[in-house]
Amino acid sequence: MEILPVIGLTLQIALVATIIDVPFAVGLSWLIIKKRVPGSFVLDIFMSLPLAVPPVVVGYLLLMLLGRNGPLGGIIQNVFGADVTFTWVAAAIAAAIVSFPLMARTIMVSMRGVDPVLERSARSLGAGPWRVLFTITVPLAYRGILAGILLGFVRAMSEFGATIVVAGNIPGRTQTLPLAIFSRVQLGDDDMALRLVAVSVGLAALTLALHNWLLERSQGNTEAR
Amino acid sequence: MMSILQVRHTVGTVLLFLGLLAGTSCGSANSGNSEILIFAATSLTNALDEAIAAYEARNTVQVLVSYGGSQTLAQQIATGAPADIFISAGRFPVDFLEEREVGMLNKTDLLSNRLVLVTEKNGPNLNDLLDLTSDKVGRVAMAAPDLAPAGGYAKESLVNLGLWDELQSKMAFGADVRATMAYVESGNADVAFVYQTDAAIAGGLEVIDVVPIDSYSKIAYPAVLLSGGDNPAAATEFFDFLNGEEALRILVNHGFSILEGGK
């Protein structure tokens, strides 16, 4: 088997998952931390659930939702004439859901660190809530937000349990690095399994290094203030 | 407070990182018309890969194979996986598809196989299945009977020989037959029930042919041409190739036999 297409597919799926997650993660964090909308407590628990339940649960629920007989799957089948399940799109959706809590919770922490006095001052000077979000909160929390995005990305790259249920393990279509490693281990192909493991560890370490570097700078920034 | 320059610098680093990743990932995951997708029992891996290589050498079609436990694959097909062809180890997963009214264009009993035991080279010396109950055997591995027919046949054999209950406490179940064999290769089980074809390609393992052939049902590998695939024309052509002389010769070279009364 060739390694490069597997890496490409893994990155593609993780990237799309991350892009899906970012607006929801920033938006919900803002609603919960800064707006304290009613039901924030429940919302927080609900959006963190994918972190707490086994990934296979996420995969199974997605399969029921997006499958041919599922409520969403039927609609998509009618509109696009195609299945979502067992495609790379299904893998990206699974990765997006499983990685969402890590991203959102990191962003929530960084938003909590933004001094409310600054936001109130902006409001009192006439800025609307959106303007405050994009000119005060996000710029001040941006390192934490980027760190959260990277953490979500690294989790999306490593997603296995939900993916294999809703997207299968199809080489060239849905077989990401973790699934390829699983297949090679099953076949007893240690040589290829270890090469894929090395790639997987390398990509994860690179992303985590960047994440830690961002977080360190973000803490330094808070202290300086 | 950080300066605007700092902000740009950090954002730039992250964007560059993600951009580089995006750049390397363009162009993957295409599912053009020149591809057919096969779901096949893991035990077929080496034999089918060789047959496909022979086919691809003469045709422009690209054949993708998702290998797994037959029942796992059948479940995926039943929930909408766009497989063109399904080759199952055992009839049960195909019966399952028929129950779920999955569309089939054609079905043949492609191959047959036999069960054997494998141990490590200096593993326990076994003369018959009764020896599995002795102290010299620790853990016994087989594919999970519900997930892969290899496990189903092994269970059937042990039940018929009256050994199933006694061996319960020693059992370790793998997801499929290759995973089961890997348990022995890695020293995590002393003995495993596998197909003769898997045993044939396992370097470094001892093959012990002590599973009585009449203690379990005749093993069939049905091949099914499915109507829910993306590329029925190319799939039909490959299906015919698979049931033809050249492919069968390759598969038989890997230790499979042709089922009597089958095609």
Side-chain angles (χ1 to χ4, degrees):
Chain A
M1 69 177 289
E2 288 178 67
I3 294 186
L4 270 181
V6 178
I7 299 174
L9 186 63
T10 308
L11 295 175
Q12 173 185 331
I13 287 170
L15 259 179
V16 171
T18 308
I19 290 166
I20 294 172
D21 276 346
V22 169
F24 291 102
V26 172
L28 285 174
S29 300
W30 178 68
L31 284 177
I32 291 171
I33 297 300
K34 292 300 176 186
K35 298 292 285 180
R36 297 207 191 88
V37 292
S40 283
F41 181 75
V42 177
L43 192 62
D44 187 1
I45 289 177
F46 185 73
M47 66 180 231
S48 302
L49 268 182
L51 187 70
V53 299
V56 65
V57 171
V58 174
Y60 184 52
L61 292 176
L62 273 179
L63 187 63
M64 292 208 291
L65 197 68
L66 298 173
R68 276 185 188 166
N69 304 320
L72 267 181
I75 295 171
I76 293 166
Q77 176 73 249
N78 285 338
V79 176
F80 297 100
D83 281 316
V84 188
T85 48
F86 304 99
T87 64
W88 73 270
V89 178
I93 293 171
I97 290 177
V98 172
S99 62
F100 183 77
L102 271 179
M103 185 191 294
R105 294 182 75 83
T106 311
I107 292 175
M108 277 161 67
V109 169
S110 73
M111 279 196 183
R112 200 173 280 137
V114 175
D115 194 342
V117 171
L118 295 172
E119 289 155 340
R120 275 205 298 276
S121 311
R123 285 306 298 268
S124 72
L125 292 171
W130 286 104
R131 187 147 180 223
V132 173
L133 173 64
F134 286 111
T135 60
I136 307 288
T137 316
V138 167
L140 285 176
Y142 84 99
R143 281 206 191 92
I145 292 174
L146 289 179
I149 291 171
L150 285 171
L151 211 53
F153 177 77
V154 82
R155 177 65 185 88
M157 272 202 302
S158 65
E159 179 19 57
F160 176 88
T163 309
I164 198 166
V165 174
V166 74
N169 187 0
I170 305 170
R173 292 196 194 169
T174 65
Q175 191 177 70
T176 57
L177 268 171
L179 295 165
I181 293 169
F182 176 70
S183 285
R184 291 295 130 183
V185 170
Q186 283 209 302
L187 292 172
D189 184 358
D190 288 338
D191 190 45
M192 182 54 84
L194 286 173
R195 279 157 72 186
L196 293 168
V197 164
V199 172
S200 185
V201 171
L203 278 174
L206 191 65
T207 314
L208 285 175
L210 191 56
H211 162 265
N212 286 358
W213 175 72
L214 280 171
L215 220 57
E216 231 162 72
R217 288 179 50 135
S218 134
Q219 273 158 8
N221 180 50
T222 313
E223 279 156 24
R225 209 159 22 87
Chain B
M1 269 306 150
M2 68 250 153
S3 71
I4 294 294
L5 270 179
Q6 259 181 306
V7 175
R8 283 206 183 137
H9 177 63
T10 319
V11 173
T13 309
V14 172
L15 289 182
L16 183 68
F17 177 72
L18 293 178
L20 280 176
L21 295 183
T24 57
S25 67
C26 284
S28 49
N30 86 80
S31 52
N33 265 347
S34 56
E35 283 180 357
I36 58 174
L37 177 59
I38 299 182
F39 277 26
T42 318
S43 53
L44 281 161
T45 306
N46 300 54
L48 192 57
D49 279 349
E50 194 184 321
I52 287 167
Y55 187 76
E56 284 182 335
R58 292 194 309 262
N59 293 276
T60 52
V61 172
Q62 203 195 347
V63 184
L64 300 177
V65 195
S66 178
Y67 291 107
S70 297
Q71 182 55 29
T72 308
L73 297 173
Q75 170 63 27
Q76 293 181 345
I77 292 168
T79 48
D84 293 293
I85 292 172
F86 174 45
I87 311 174
S88 164
R91 290 205 172 89
F92 177 74
V94 177
D95 296 343
F96 170 84
L97 287 184
E98 281 172 347
E99 268 168 42
R100 297 293 179 98
E101 292 171 351
V102 171
M104 301 179 187
L105 303 173
N106 200 351
K107 190 173 90 171
T108 56
D109 272 336
L110 194 62
L111 298 165
S112 184
N113 210 338
R114 289 176 56 212
L115 280 184
V116 295
L117 298 181
V118 287
T119 63
E120 281 187 291
K121 269 282 184 274
N122 299 314
N125 183 25
L126 303 169
N127 297 315
D128 53 37
L129 287 183
L130 190 61
D131 284 351
L132 291 178
T133 60
S134 72
D135 290 340
K136 60 188 172 187
V137 175
R139 199 173 286 159
V140 179
M142 65 164 68
D146 297 335
L147 293 183
Y153 293 120
K155 178 179 173 180
E156 186 187 2
S157 171
L158 290 174
V159 168
N160 284 338
L161 296 168
L163 296 170
W164 176 250
D165 290 333
E166 199 175 344
L167 286 172
Q168 279 290 307
S169 58
K170 291 185 174 185
M171 285 293 174
F173 294 128
D176 58 35
V177 70
R178 290 293 172 91
T180 307
M181 195 160 71
Y183 287 170
V184 175
E185 282 168 340
S186 59
N188 290 308
D190 297 314
V191 55
F193 282 84
V194 299
Y195 292 124
Q196 182 188 32
T197 49
D198 296 290
I201 54 160
L205 291 184
E206 190 93 42
V207 180
I208 309 175
D209 188 3
V210 292
V211 188
I213 189 109
D214 51 6
S215 64
Y216 55 93
S217 314
K218 219 173 222 339
I219 299 176
Y221 277 63
V224 182
L225 182 61
L226 299 156
S227 57
D230 294 331
N231 205 351
T236 306
E237 252 172 63
F238 184 78
F239 191 80
D240 292 340
F241 163 78
L242 210 51
N243 285 283
E245 219 171 281
E246 184 191 357
L248 287 178
R249 196 167 49 237
I250 292 171
L251 298 171
V252 166
N253 277 343
H254 281 268
F256 290 97
S257 43
I258 295 179
L259 202 65
E260 287 163 46
K263 194 174 171 184

